[in-house]
Amino acid sequence: QRKNPFSNDSRLVSKLVHTHRGDPTYGRPPEGSRTEQRGKDAHSHVGKEVEELCLIIRSTGVVGEDGHVSVTFGQLFETYVTISNKVVGILLRARKHGLVHFEGEMLWQGKDDDVIITLL
């Protein structure tokens, strides 16, 4: 497919790009494309949600002996769900970036309400 029938971007028509694993552009949208911009916008939006989650943890949590702020998942869920319905996904992203710590792979409402989430 040389031309995407769903795209109005004529710049992409003439480019026949073959990328291979290891190439820095492999799996990435063409530079300057709308797809690239949408990805950047989404990344920025999620970053803001992670920041907001950390602020919520700081304001609702309790400072422990080690100086870190902690909150239970149940308490965080009840507070944050009024802001966003993506609590667990944002928590996983925050953990991936080393901002929070909690035990387990996934947190489930009800079952994991007593799990401690620590702001690092």
Side-chain angles (χ1 to χ4, degrees):
Q1 256 188 340
R2 293 187 91 167
K3 178 168 175 31
N4 181 348
F6 304 106
S7 176
N8 294 330
D9 195 350
S10 60
R11 294 175 296 151
L12 303 176
V13 175
S14 61
K15 293 181 184 177
L16 186 56
V17 179
H18 292 289
T19 57
H20 303 286
R21 288 181 192 233
D23 185 353
T25 61
Y26 181 76
R28 298 202 175 268
E31 245 182 82
S33 68
R34 289 191 209 161
T35 304
E36 181 189 40
Q37 187 58 47
R38 282 191 299 268
K40 287 179 179 179
D41 293 345
H43 184 74
S44 172
H45 178 74
V46 170
K48 289 175 187 171
E49 284 206 36
V50 168
E51 277 183 43
E52 189 172 8
L53 177 76
C54 291
L55 290 172
I56 296 294
I57 292 172
R58 184 173 289 127
S59 67
T60 60
V62 181
V63 179
E65 293 175 9
D66 58 358
H68 293 292
V69 178
S70 298
V71 66
T72 63
F73 175 64
Q75 182 182 359
L76 179 63
F77 189 89
E78 289 302 318
T79 304
Y80 194 76
V81 79
T82 59
I83 299 167
S84 172
N85 62 350
K86 301 178 282 286
V87 179
V88 176
I90 299 299
L91 269 172
L92 292 173
R93 179 62 65 102
R95 178 169 68 177
K96 180 180 177 183
H97 290 288
L99 300 173
V100 298
H101 172 74
F102 56 89
E103 295 296 323
E105 290 294 314
M106 181 67 78
L107 296 172
W108 303 97
Q109 183 186 10
K111 177 183 158 211
D112 295 320
D113 282 352
D114 296 328
V115 172
I116 303 292
I117 299 167
T118 306
L119 187 63
L120 300 176

